Amino acid sequence: MTGAADVAEVADLTSRMVAIDSVNPDLVPGAAGESEMAAFVSDRLRDAGLEVMVLEPVPGRPSVVGIARGRGGGRSLMLNAHLDTVGVAGMTDPHTPVVDGDRLYGRGAYDPKGSLAACMLAAARCRADDLRGDVIVAAVADEEYASLGTRTVLEHVRADYAIVAEQTGLGQVCVAHKGFAWMKVTTRGRAAHGSRADLGVDAIAHMGHVLTELGDLGERLSDRRHPLLGPATVHASLIAGGQELSSYPAGCTLELERRTLPGESRARVEDELRQLVDRCRLRLPDFEATVETSLWRTPFESSAESPIVAAVRRAAEARTGTRPEPFGKAGWMDSALLADAGTPAVVFGPGGDGAHALVEWVDLRDVAACADIYHEVARAICR
């Protein structure tokens, strides 16, 4: 392992970014967004000698791409981390970074500004390595909501391999995560005065049958398991219907979330829900319903033997003395978008705690280790 990242440098860089409010405005209307963070990151990457471009498909939602350009003929590596954070309601001084021993506290310290600092420091060190391949930092907007940033970056830049710098605690390397579908079922009844059962059709009562079928589907999904991720799941998230107490409800809408496993296609998941509704239609007179998908995100899986996974595990073992074990995370990440674009990816980052919580911190020694590990992986992949 060449060199070693300085913990004081890591603390300073991460602190400067924690001090910048980059709450995602799609999560918190009117929030700051990524502009100030993007300006800070782009300036630091330019100062380090990287080629920088700022991509802003939506005003106020920029992403930054910094490239430590190789001399040519080598494989490229993308280090992907996001600029945005979740909200800060209930936190005390969320953008005042506090260092206590090896811990840095503040919103975004763990998710993922420490990881982003490690990516930036690693790429800067690659400038002196005379590598053949490019090392690319993708500091992306909107990961916490709709992944606008990574989707935009992939329209302009591709890499042979990628590390998504989310939190794994150094001792593990994430090679799989679930996908999800946000879906909607709308039942249609017939409005009528509450005294006229002969005229009304109750859309809410009909939705009750859908909910019963949904519970049965959940039971069946519990038998559909992945060795690292456990079972596929489905749950009812939001429901609304009716217009007033004295009327039969003309409509009811159920929004649900289906968490998917590698190998489950969008077509399969949508057909599953349509069949569920069809069973209700066969049983109930006057049953009418529609089904739609509002958002689909594919699951992710990478072979534990792939070159990028192997390179991360070797570099981590050389730096820490322990080879990280492959594992799966339930939550969705931008790694799926990279894999869908043909870029083999792995998820690896520092330890800490409090992602999306009221108290959030990152382990600064882990961030320094990640900077060294990312650097060593780049040297192995891009040589």
Side-chain angles (χ1 to χ4, degrees):
M1 180 71 65
T2 60
D6 180 72
V7 173
E9 183 181 20
V10 162
D12 177 70
L13 179 56
T14 308
S15 293
R16 289 175 184 271
M17 292 193 288
V18 168
I20 298 172
D21 179 353
S22 58
V23 172
N24 189 315
D26 283 328
L27 296 176
V28 181
E34 299 91 352
S35 292
E36 187 178 353
M37 265 291 290
F40 176 86
V41 170
S42 60
D43 287 347
R44 291 294 291 249
L45 293 177
R46 284 193 187 95
D47 290 347
L50 277 69
E51 299 175 17
V52 174
M53 59 179 165
V54 177
L55 305 172
E56 193 169 2
V58 174
R61 311 303 305 277
S63 296
V64 179
V65 176
I67 303 175
R69 188 72 68 184
R71 66 180 188 274
R75 297 173 300 181
S76 57
L77 174 69
M78 178 183 291
L79 304 174
N80 178 292
H82 59 95
L83 299 167
D84 61 318
T85 72
V86 295
V88 298
M91 297 182 74
T92 301
D93 297 325
H95 299 118
T96 300
V98 175
V99 176
D100 183 3
D102 292 335
R103 296 183 177 186
L104 171 61
Y105 290 84
R107 174 56 85 222
Y110 183 49
D111 185 19
K113 294 180 180 181
S115 300
L116 177 57
C119 295
M120 294 165 67
L121 293 169
R125 289 165 67 183
C126 289
R127 289 275 298 132
D129 286 332
D130 192 34
L131 300 174
R132 290 191 300 153
D134 297 340
V135 179
I136 303 160
V137 175
V140 298
D142 194 42
E143 188 273 348
E144 296 288 6
Y145 184 72
S147 297
L148 172 68
T150 292
R151 289 188 287 114
T152 300
V153 166
L154 289 171
E155 294 173 0
H156 295 83
V157 180
R158 296 294 178 94
D160 293 304
Y161 296 99
I163 299 174
V164 174
E166 296 278 5
Q167 313 79 31
T168 65
L170 290 190
Q172 295 179 300
V173 57
C174 177
V175 298
H177 65 65
K178 291 182 179 181
F180 68 91
W182 289 348
M183 308 180 80
K184 182 186 295 185
V185 179
T186 302
T187 52
R188 297 295 178 193
R190 186 182 306 119
H193 193 279
S195 66
R196 296 300 304 272
D198 58 319
L199 298 179
V201 175
D202 191 335
I204 295 176
H206 281 182
M207 187 64 77
H209 291 267
V210 174
L211 288 168
T212 298
E213 286 283 350
L214 199 68
D216 292 343
L217 173 61
E219 290 293 326
R220 294 193 299 275
L221 291 177
S222 66
D223 295 328
R224 196 179 297 173
R225 305 183 69 86
H226 184 278
L228 296 178
L229 299 172
T233 61
V234 65
H235 71 272
S237 302
L238 299 168
I239 191 165
Q243 59 271 19
E244 59 192 7
L245 282 170
S246 61
S247 296
Y248 277 82
C252 183
T253 298
L254 169 70
E255 295 180 74
L256 61 93
E257 183 179 70
R258 169 74 156 80
R259 291 281 168 165
T260 60
L261 300 178
E264 291 191 303
S265 68
R266 176 171 181 165
R268 174 182 180 176
V269 169
E270 290 177 338
D271 189 56
E272 199 174 58
L273 190 59
R274 281 193 294 267
Q275 289 181 21
L276 180 157
V277 168
D278 286 343
R279 286 193 292 274
C280 295
R281 187 175 287 113
L282 289 173
R283 287 200 309 269
L284 298 168
D286 299 320
F287 181 90
E288 293 183 20
T290 58
V291 175
E292 61 182 286
T293 302
S294 58
L295 184 64
W296 170 263
R297 289 287 182 259
T298 57
F300 164 75
E301 187 168 35
S302 180
S303 168
E305 307 305 317
S306 75
I308 186 60
V309 176
V312 169
R313 296 182 76 195
R314 284 194 301 269
E317 184 176 23
R319 176 61 168 79
T320 69
T322 301
R323 178 165 288 212
E325 291 299 317
F327 83 116
K329 294 185 80 169
W332 190 88
M333 291 174 281
D334 280 357
S335 42
L337 294 177
L338 290 158
D340 287 347
T343 299
V346 66
V347 182
F348 183 79
D353 200 6
H356 299 207
L358 295 182
V359 178
E360 179 177 355
W361 61 272
V362 71
D363 187 310
L364 291 169
R365 291 191 179 276
D366 277 13
V367 175
C370 280
D372 293 338
I373 292 163
Y374 299 158
H375 179 215
E376 194 65 20
V377 171
R379 286 165 53 86
I381 291 290
C382 306
R383 64 177 185 269

PDB file of all heavy atoms in Angstrom, residues 326-362:
ATOM      1  N   PRO A 326     -18.109 -10.217   1.571  1.00  0.00           N
ATOM      2  CA  PRO A 326     -19.251  -9.783   0.762  1.00  0.00           C
ATOM      3  C   PRO A 326     -20.546  -9.839   1.564  1.00  0.00           C
ATOM      4  O   PRO A 326     -20.758 -10.762   2.355  1.00  0.00           O
ATOM      5  CB  PRO A 326     -19.272 -10.796  -0.388  1.00  0.00           C
ATOM      6  CG  PRO A 326     -17.900 -11.392  -0.418  1.00  0.00           C
ATOM      7  CD  PRO A 326     -17.441 -11.392   0.995  1.00  0.00           C
ATOM      8  N   PHE A 327     -21.417  -8.858   1.373  1.00  0.00           N
ATOM      9  CA  PHE A 327     -22.717  -8.854   2.024  1.00  0.00           C
ATOM     10  C   PHE A 327     -23.712  -8.099   1.157  1.00  0.00           C
ATOM     11  O   PHE A 327     -23.358  -7.513   0.135  1.00  0.00           O
ATOM     12  CB  PHE A 327     -22.634  -8.254   3.433  1.00  0.00           C
ATOM     13  CG  PHE A 327     -22.695  -6.745   3.495  1.00  0.00           C
ATOM     14  CD1 PHE A 327     -23.744  -6.100   4.121  1.00  0.00           C
ATOM     15  CD2 PHE A 327     -21.693  -5.970   2.926  1.00  0.00           C
ATOM     16  CE1 PHE A 327     -23.798  -4.719   4.193  1.00  0.00           C
ATOM     17  CE2 PHE A 327     -21.734  -4.587   2.994  1.00  0.00           C
ATOM     18  CZ  PHE A 327     -22.806  -3.957   3.623  1.00  0.00           C
ATOM     19  N   GLY A 328     -24.972  -8.146   1.548  1.00  0.00           N
ATOM     20  CA  GLY A 328     -26.020  -7.440   0.824  1.00  0.00           C
ATOM     21  C   GLY A 328     -26.690  -6.416   1.716  1.00  0.00           C
ATOM     22  O   GLY A 328     -26.796  -6.610   2.929  1.00  0.00           O
ATOM     23  N   LYS A 329     -27.153  -5.301   1.112  1.00  0.00           N
ATOM     24  CA  LYS A 329     -27.895  -4.267   1.834  1.00  0.00           C
ATOM     25  C   LYS A 329     -29.316  -4.212   1.294  1.00  0.00           C
ATOM     26  O   LYS A 329     -29.538  -4.367   0.089  1.00  0.00           O
ATOM     27  CB  LYS A 329     -27.222  -2.897   1.668  1.00  0.00           C
ATOM     28  CG  LYS A 329     -25.856  -2.803   2.304  1.00  0.00           C
ATOM     29  CD  LYS A 329     -25.283  -1.397   2.228  1.00  0.00           C
ATOM     30  CE  LYS A 329     -25.854  -0.512   3.304  1.00  0.00           C
ATOM     31  NZ  LYS A 329     -25.124   0.777   3.423  1.00  0.00           N
ATOM     32  N   ALA A 330     -30.256  -3.965   2.185  1.00  0.00           N
ATOM     33  CA  ALA A 330     -31.657  -3.936   1.752  1.00  0.00           C
ATOM     34  C   ALA A 330     -31.968  -2.683   0.945  1.00  0.00           C
ATOM     35  O   ALA A 330     -32.762  -2.724   0.007  1.00  0.00           O
ATOM     36  CB  ALA A 330     -32.575  -4.014   2.971  1.00  0.00           C
ATOM     37  N   GLY A 331     -31.375  -1.547   1.306  1.00  0.00           N
ATOM     38  CA  GLY A 331     -31.694  -0.281   0.659  1.00  0.00           C
ATOM     39  C   GLY A 331     -31.122  -0.180  -0.751  1.00  0.00           C
ATOM     40  O   GLY A 331     -30.100  -0.787  -1.067  1.00  0.00           O
ATOM     41  N   TRP A 332     -31.794   0.627  -1.575  1.00  0.00           N
ATOM     42  CA  TRP A 332     -31.370   0.812  -2.961  1.00  0.00           C
ATOM     43  C   TRP A 332     -30.270   1.864  -3.057  1.00  0.00           C
ATOM     44  O   TRP A 332     -30.248   2.832  -2.281  1.00  0.00           O
ATOM     45  CB  TRP A 332     -32.564   1.227  -3.820  1.00  0.00           C
ATOM     46  CG  TRP A 332     -32.273   1.220  -5.288  1.00  0.00           C
ATOM     47  CD1 TRP A 332     -32.399   0.161  -6.139  1.00  0.00           C
ATOM     48  CD2 TRP A 332     -31.804   2.308  -6.076  1.00  0.00           C
ATOM     49  NE1 TRP A 332     -32.045   0.518  -7.411  1.00  0.00           N
ATOM     50  CE2 TRP A 332     -31.663   1.838  -7.405  1.00  0.00           C
ATOM     51  CE3 TRP A 332     -31.477   3.640  -5.797  1.00  0.00           C
ATOM     52  CZ2 TRP A 332     -31.224   2.649  -8.441  1.00  0.00           C
ATOM     53  CZ3 TRP A 332     -31.026   4.449  -6.831  1.00  0.00           C
ATOM     54  CH2 TRP A 332     -30.915   3.954  -8.137  1.00  0.00           C
ATOM     55  N   MET A 333     -29.353   1.696  -4.015  1.00  0.00           N
ATOM     56  CA  MET A 333     -28.251   2.641  -4.229  1.00  0.00           C
ATOM     57  C   MET A 333     -27.996   2.832  -5.720  1.00  0.00           C
ATOM     58  O   MET A 333     -28.481   2.068  -6.549  1.00  0.00           O
ATOM     59  CB  MET A 333     -26.986   2.151  -3.519  1.00  0.00           C
ATOM     60  CG  MET A 333     -27.071   2.195  -1.996  1.00  0.00           C
ATOM     61  SD  MET A 333     -25.629   1.466  -1.183  1.00  0.00           S
ATOM     62  CE  MET A 333     -26.000  -0.284  -1.326  1.00  0.00           C
ATOM     63  N   ASP A 334     -27.204   3.849  -6.045  1.00  0.00           N
ATOM     64  CA  ASP A 334     -26.901   4.154  -7.444  1.00  0.00           C
ATOM     65  C   ASP A 334     -26.071   3.074  -8.129  1.00  0.00           C
ATOM     66  O   ASP A 334     -25.910   3.099  -9.356  1.00  0.00           O
ATOM     67  CB  ASP A 334     -26.168   5.490  -7.545  1.00  0.00           C
ATOM     68  CG  ASP A 334     -27.102   6.686  -7.450  1.00  0.00           C
ATOM     69  OD1 ASP A 334     -28.322   6.479  -7.356  1.00  0.00           O
ATOM     70  OD2 ASP A 334     -26.612   7.834  -7.472  1.00  0.00           O
ATOM     71  N   SER A 335     -25.545   2.127  -7.373  1.00  0.00           N
ATOM     72  CA  SER A 335     -24.793   1.016  -7.971  1.00  0.00           C
ATOM     73  C   SER A 335     -25.627   0.281  -9.012  1.00  0.00           C
ATOM     74  O   SER A 335     -25.081  -0.224 -10.008  1.00  0.00           O
ATOM     75  CB  SER A 335     -24.329   0.048  -6.881  1.00  0.00           C
ATOM     76  OG  SER A 335     -25.346  -0.165  -5.924  1.00  0.00           O
ATOM     77  N   ALA A 336     -26.950   0.228  -8.812  1.00  0.00           N
ATOM     78  CA  ALA A 336     -27.805  -0.461  -9.784  1.00  0.00           C
ATOM     79  C   ALA A 336     -27.806   0.268 -11.123  1.00  0.00           C
ATOM     80  O   ALA A 336     -27.816  -0.363 -12.188  1.00  0.00           O
ATOM     81  CB  ALA A 336     -29.223  -0.577  -9.243  1.00  0.00           C
ATOM     82  N   LEU A 337     -27.803   1.606 -11.096  1.00  0.00           N
ATOM     83  CA  LEU A 337     -27.766   2.366 -12.347  1.00  0.00           C
ATOM     84  C   LEU A 337     -26.462   2.125 -13.090  1.00  0.00           C
ATOM     85  O   LEU A 337     -26.451   2.008 -14.321  1.00  0.00           O
ATOM     86  CB  LEU A 337     -27.926   3.858 -12.053  1.00  0.00           C
ATOM     87  CG  LEU A 337     -29.265   4.304 -11.480  1.00  0.00           C
ATOM     88  CD1 LEU A 337     -29.231   5.796 -11.171  1.00  0.00           C
ATOM     89  CD2 LEU A 337     -30.406   3.985 -12.439  1.00  0.00           C
ATOM     90  N   LEU A 338     -25.373   2.058 -12.359  1.00  0.00           N
ATOM     91  CA  LEU A 338     -24.079   1.797 -12.990  1.00  0.00           C
ATOM     92  C   LEU A 338     -24.055   0.409 -13.612  1.00  0.00           C
ATOM     93  O   LEU A 338     -23.615   0.235 -14.758  1.00  0.00           O
ATOM     94  CB  LEU A 338     -22.964   1.953 -11.961  1.00  0.00           C
ATOM     95  CG  LEU A 338     -22.721   3.395 -11.517  1.00  0.00           C
ATOM     96  CD1 LEU A 338     -22.033   3.448 -10.159  1.00  0.00           C
ATOM     97  CD2 LEU A 338     -21.881   4.134 -12.550  1.00  0.00           C
ATOM     98  N   ALA A 339     -24.527  -0.576 -12.874  1.00  0.00           N
ATOM     99  CA  ALA A 339     -24.559  -1.940 -13.408  1.00  0.00           C
ATOM    100  C   ALA A 339     -25.455  -2.024 -14.632  1.00  0.00           C
ATOM    101  O   ALA A 339     -25.107  -2.683 -15.628  1.00  0.00           O
ATOM    102  CB  ALA A 339     -25.020  -2.914 -12.330  1.00  0.00           C
ATOM    103  N   ASP A 340     -26.611  -1.347 -14.598  1.00  0.00           N
ATOM    104  CA  ASP A 340     -27.507  -1.342 -15.754  1.00  0.00           C
ATOM    105  C   ASP A 340     -26.844  -0.718 -16.972  1.00  0.00           C
ATOM    106  O   ASP A 340     -27.163  -1.075 -18.120  1.00  0.00           O
ATOM    107  CB  ASP A 340     -28.785  -0.566 -15.433  1.00  0.00           C
ATOM    108  CG  ASP A 340     -29.711  -1.318 -14.489  1.00  0.00           C
ATOM    109  OD1 ASP A 340     -29.487  -2.526 -14.273  1.00  0.00           O
ATOM    110  OD2 ASP A 340     -30.650  -0.692 -13.967  1.00  0.00           O
ATOM    111  N   ALA A 341     -25.924   0.216 -16.749  1.00  0.00           N
ATOM    112  CA  ALA A 341     -25.218   0.877 -17.850  1.00  0.00           C
ATOM    113  C   ALA A 341     -24.011   0.071 -18.330  1.00  0.00           C
ATOM    114  O   ALA A 341     -23.284   0.518 -19.220  1.00  0.00           O
ATOM    115  CB  ALA A 341     -24.762   2.268 -17.414  1.00  0.00           C
ATOM    116  N   GLY A 342     -23.792  -1.092 -17.732  1.00  0.00           N
ATOM    117  CA  GLY A 342     -22.701  -1.951 -18.168  1.00  0.00           C
ATOM    118  C   GLY A 342     -21.410  -1.757 -17.414  1.00  0.00           C
ATOM    119  O   GLY A 342     -20.361  -2.269 -17.840  1.00  0.00           O
ATOM    120  N   THR A 343     -21.446  -1.050 -16.285  1.00  0.00           N
ATOM    121  CA  THR A 343     -20.248  -0.813 -15.481  1.00  0.00           C
ATOM    122  C   THR A 343     -20.288  -1.691 -14.238  1.00  0.00           C
ATOM    123  O   THR A 343     -21.100  -1.435 -13.331  1.00  0.00           O
ATOM    124  CB  THR A 343     -20.152   0.664 -15.057  1.00  0.00           C
ATOM    125  OG1 THR A 343     -20.069   1.487 -16.208  1.00  0.00           O
ATOM    126  CG2 THR A 343     -18.930   0.906 -14.182  1.00  0.00           C
ATOM    127  N   PRO A 344     -19.450  -2.717 -14.150  1.00  0.00           N
ATOM    128  CA  PRO A 344     -19.415  -3.529 -12.922  1.00  0.00           C
ATOM    129  C   PRO A 344     -19.081  -2.642 -11.723  1.00  0.00           C
ATOM    130  O   PRO A 344     -18.140  -1.845 -11.769  1.00  0.00           O
ATOM    131  CB  PRO A 344     -18.305  -4.543 -13.201  1.00  0.00           C
ATOM    132  CG  PRO A 344     -18.204  -4.608 -14.692  1.00  0.00           C
ATOM    133  CD  PRO A 344     -18.510  -3.215 -15.171  1.00  0.00           C
ATOM    134  N   ALA A 345     -19.854  -2.791 -10.653  1.00  0.00           N
ATOM    135  CA  ALA A 345     -19.714  -1.891  -9.513  1.00  0.00           C
ATOM    136  C   ALA A 345     -19.680  -2.676  -8.217  1.00  0.00           C
ATOM    137  O   ALA A 345     -20.094  -3.832  -8.133  1.00  0.00           O
ATOM    138  CB  ALA A 345     -20.875  -0.892  -9.491  1.00  0.00           C
ATOM    139  N   VAL A 346     -19.178  -2.006  -7.187  1.00  0.00           N
ATOM    140  CA  VAL A 346     -19.172  -2.532  -5.835  1.00  0.00           C
ATOM    141  C   VAL A 346     -19.413  -1.353  -4.902  1.00  0.00           C
ATOM    142  O   VAL A 346     -19.127  -0.204  -5.258  1.00  0.00           O
ATOM    143  CB  VAL A 346     -17.830  -3.234  -5.531  1.00  0.00           C
ATOM    144  CG1 VAL A 346     -16.671  -2.240  -5.512  1.00  0.00           C
ATOM    145  CG2 VAL A 346     -17.884  -4.004  -4.225  1.00  0.00           C
ATOM    146  N   VAL A 347     -19.955  -1.631  -3.727  1.00  0.00           N
ATOM    147  CA  VAL A 347     -20.217  -0.586  -2.742  1.00  0.00           C
ATOM    148  C   VAL A 347     -19.258  -0.782  -1.573  1.00  0.00           C
ATOM    149  O   VAL A 347     -19.209  -1.874  -0.985  1.00  0.00           O
ATOM    150  CB  VAL A 347     -21.677  -0.632  -2.251  1.00  0.00           C
ATOM    151  CG1 VAL A 347     -21.944   0.495  -1.253  1.00  0.00           C
ATOM    152  CG2 VAL A 347     -22.645  -0.546  -3.432  1.00  0.00           C
ATOM    153  N   PHE A 348     -18.517   0.284  -1.241  1.00  0.00           N
ATOM    154  CA  PHE A 348     -17.529   0.172  -0.154  1.00  0.00           C
ATOM    155  C   PHE A 348     -17.267   1.552   0.429  1.00  0.00           C
ATOM    156  O   PHE A 348     -17.059   2.518  -0.310  1.00  0.00           O
ATOM    157  CB  PHE A 348     -16.217  -0.418  -0.683  1.00  0.00           C
ATOM    158  CG  PHE A 348     -15.174  -0.623   0.383  1.00  0.00           C
ATOM    159  CD1 PHE A 348     -15.245  -1.716   1.239  1.00  0.00           C
ATOM    160  CD2 PHE A 348     -14.134   0.281   0.543  1.00  0.00           C
ATOM    161  CE1 PHE A 348     -14.294  -1.901   2.233  1.00  0.00           C
ATOM    162  CE2 PHE A 348     -13.174   0.092   1.523  1.00  0.00           C
ATOM    163  CZ  PHE A 348     -13.259  -1.003   2.372  1.00  0.00           C
ATOM    164  N   GLY A 349     -17.290   1.632   1.765  1.00  0.00           N
ATOM    165  CA  GLY A 349     -17.060   2.918   2.403  1.00  0.00           C
ATOM    166  C   GLY A 349     -16.756   2.777   3.875  1.00  0.00           C
ATOM    167  O   GLY A 349     -16.617   1.674   4.414  1.00  0.00           O
ATOM    168  N   PRO A 350     -16.678   3.915   4.576  1.00  0.00           N
ATOM    169  CA  PRO A 350     -16.218   3.925   5.967  1.00  0.00           C
ATOM    170  C   PRO A 350     -17.300   3.520   6.953  1.00  0.00           C
ATOM    171  O   PRO A 350     -18.463   3.316   6.603  1.00  0.00           O
ATOM    172  CB  PRO A 350     -15.828   5.396   6.170  1.00  0.00           C
ATOM    173  CG  PRO A 350     -16.752   6.138   5.264  1.00  0.00           C
ATOM    174  CD  PRO A 350     -16.912   5.271   4.050  1.00  0.00           C
ATOM    175  N   GLY A 351     -16.897   3.432   8.218  1.00  0.00           N
ATOM    176  CA  GLY A 351     -17.817   3.171   9.300  1.00  0.00           C
ATOM    177  C   GLY A 351     -18.291   4.458   9.954  1.00  0.00           C
ATOM    178  O   GLY A 351     -17.753   5.540   9.721  1.00  0.00           O
ATOM    179  N   GLY A 352     -19.301   4.333  10.773  1.00  0.00           N
ATOM    180  CA  GLY A 352     -19.916   5.453  11.465  1.00  0.00           C
ATOM    181  C   GLY A 352     -21.320   5.051  11.849  1.00  0.00           C
ATOM    182  O   GLY A 352     -21.633   3.862  11.977  1.00  0.00           O
ATOM    183  N   ASP A 353     -22.193   6.050  12.014  1.00  0.00           N
ATOM    184  CA  ASP A 353     -23.568   5.731  12.372  1.00  0.00           C
ATOM    185  C   ASP A 353     -24.435   6.974  12.145  1.00  0.00           C
ATOM    186  O   ASP A 353     -23.937   8.086  12.003  1.00  0.00           O
ATOM    187  CB  ASP A 353     -23.651   5.319  13.846  1.00  0.00           C
ATOM    188  CG  ASP A 353     -24.915   4.520  14.163  1.00  0.00           C
ATOM    189  OD1 ASP A 353     -25.668   4.180  13.217  1.00  0.00           O
ATOM    190  OD2 ASP A 353     -25.143   4.223  15.345  1.00  0.00           O
ATOM    191  N   GLY A 354     -25.753   6.740  12.105  1.00  0.00           N
ATOM    192  CA  GLY A 354     -26.695   7.844  12.096  1.00  0.00           C
ATOM    193  C   GLY A 354     -27.117   8.340  10.737  1.00  0.00           C
ATOM    194  O   GLY A 354     -27.604   9.467  10.626  1.00  0.00           O
ATOM    195  N   ALA A 355     -26.980   7.538   9.688  1.00  0.00           N
ATOM    196  CA  ALA A 355     -27.506   7.952   8.387  1.00  0.00           C
ATOM    197  C   ALA A 355     -29.007   8.207   8.518  1.00  0.00           C
ATOM    198  O   ALA A 355     -29.750   7.353   8.990  1.00  0.00           O
ATOM    199  CB  ALA A 355     -27.236   6.874   7.341  1.00  0.00           C
ATOM    200  N   HIS A 356     -29.444   9.411   8.153  1.00  0.00           N
ATOM    201  CA  HIS A 356     -30.848   9.838   8.216  1.00  0.00           C
ATOM    202  C   HIS A 356     -31.349   9.999   9.657  1.00  0.00           C
ATOM    203  O   HIS A 356     -32.549  10.171   9.868  1.00  0.00           O
ATOM    204  CB  HIS A 356     -31.771   8.876   7.463  1.00  0.00           C
ATOM    205  CG  HIS A 356     -31.471   8.745   6.005  1.00  0.00           C
ATOM    206  ND1 HIS A 356     -32.442   8.407   5.087  1.00  0.00           N
ATOM    207  CD2 HIS A 356     -30.337   8.896   5.279  1.00  0.00           C
ATOM    208  CE1 HIS A 356     -31.896   8.353   3.873  1.00  0.00           C
ATOM    209  NE2 HIS A 356     -30.613   8.647   3.974  1.00  0.00           N
ATOM    210  N   ALA A 357     -30.460   9.938  10.636  1.00  0.00           N
ATOM    211  CA  ALA A 357     -30.860  10.013  12.041  1.00  0.00           C
ATOM    212  C   ALA A 357     -30.541  11.396  12.618  1.00  0.00           C
ATOM    213  O   ALA A 357     -29.920  12.243  11.967  1.00  0.00           O
ATOM    214  CB  ALA A 357     -30.154   8.922  12.848  1.00  0.00           C
ATOM    215  N   LEU A 358     -30.929  11.615  13.871  1.00  0.00           N
ATOM    216  CA  LEU A 358     -30.720  12.915  14.498  1.00  0.00           C
ATOM    217  C   LEU A 358     -29.269  13.137  14.912  1.00  0.00           C
ATOM    218  O   LEU A 358     -28.821  14.280  15.030  1.00  0.00           O
ATOM    219  CB  LEU A 358     -31.634  13.060  15.730  1.00  0.00           C
ATOM    220  CG  LEU A 358     -33.134  13.082  15.445  1.00  0.00           C
ATOM    221  CD1 LEU A 358     -33.912  13.272  16.731  1.00  0.00           C
ATOM    222  CD2 LEU A 358     -33.484  14.185  14.443  1.00  0.00           C
ATOM    223  N   VAL A 359     -28.544  12.064  15.161  1.00  0.00           N
ATOM    224  CA  VAL A 359     -27.115  12.155  15.483  1.00  0.00           C
ATOM    225  C   VAL A 359     -26.366  11.328  14.442  1.00  0.00           C
ATOM    226  O   VAL A 359     -26.571  10.116  14.335  1.00  0.00           O
ATOM    227  CB  VAL A 359     -26.814  11.635  16.903  1.00  0.00           C
ATOM    228  CG1 VAL A 359     -25.316  11.702  17.174  1.00  0.00           C
ATOM    229  CG2 VAL A 359     -27.580  12.441  17.945  1.00  0.00           C
ATOM    230  N   GLU A 360     -25.505  11.988  13.687  1.00  0.00           N
ATOM    231  CA  GLU A 360     -24.793  11.333  12.584  1.00  0.00           C
ATOM    232  C   GLU A 360     -23.297  11.576  12.737  1.00  0.00           C
ATOM    233  O   GLU A 360     -22.861  12.700  12.995  1.00  0.00           O
ATOM    234  CB  GLU A 360     -25.278  11.893  11.243  1.00  0.00           C
ATOM    235  CG  GLU A 360     -24.586  11.294  10.022  1.00  0.00           C
ATOM    236  CD  GLU A 360     -25.131  11.823   8.704  1.00  0.00           C
ATOM    237  OE1 GLU A 360     -26.116  12.597   8.731  1.00  0.00           O
ATOM    238  OE2 GLU A 360     -24.568  11.472   7.655  1.00  0.00           O
ATOM    239  N   TRP A 361     -22.521  10.516  12.571  1.00  0.00           N
ATOM    240  CA  TRP A 361     -21.063  10.677  12.662  1.00  0.00           C
ATOM    241  C   TRP A 361     -20.351   9.668  11.761  1.00  0.00           C
ATOM    242  O   TRP A 361     -20.882   8.617  11.447  1.00  0.00           O
ATOM    243  CB  TRP A 361     -20.564  10.519  14.101  1.00  0.00           C
ATOM    244  CG  TRP A 361     -20.844   9.178  14.731  1.00  0.00           C
ATOM    245  CD1 TRP A 361     -21.975   8.811  15.408  1.00  0.00           C
ATOM    246  CD2 TRP A 361     -19.993   8.017  14.722  1.00  0.00           C
ATOM    247  NE1 TRP A 361     -21.878   7.495  15.827  1.00  0.00           N
ATOM    248  CE2 TRP A 361     -20.675   7.000  15.439  1.00  0.00           C
ATOM    249  CE3 TRP A 361     -18.728   7.752  14.207  1.00  0.00           C
ATOM    250  CZ2 TRP A 361     -20.125   5.729  15.628  1.00  0.00           C
ATOM    251  CZ3 TRP A 361     -18.174   6.486  14.392  1.00  0.00           C
ATOM    252  CH2 TRP A 361     -18.872   5.496  15.086  1.00  0.00           C
ATOM    253  N   VAL A 362     -19.131  10.054  11.374  1.00  0.00           N
ATOM    254  CA  VAL A 362     -18.285   9.173  10.570  1.00  0.00           C
ATOM    255  C   VAL A 362     -16.955   8.977  11.285  1.00  0.00           C
ATOM    256  O   VAL A 362     -16.483   9.875  12.006  1.00  0.00           O
ATOM    257  CB  VAL A 362     -18.060   9.757   9.160  1.00  0.00           C
ATOM    258  CG1 VAL A 362     -17.144  10.978   9.184  1.00  0.00           C
ATOM    259  CG2 VAL A 362     -17.524   8.703   8.201  1.00  0.00           C
TER     260      VAL A 362
END
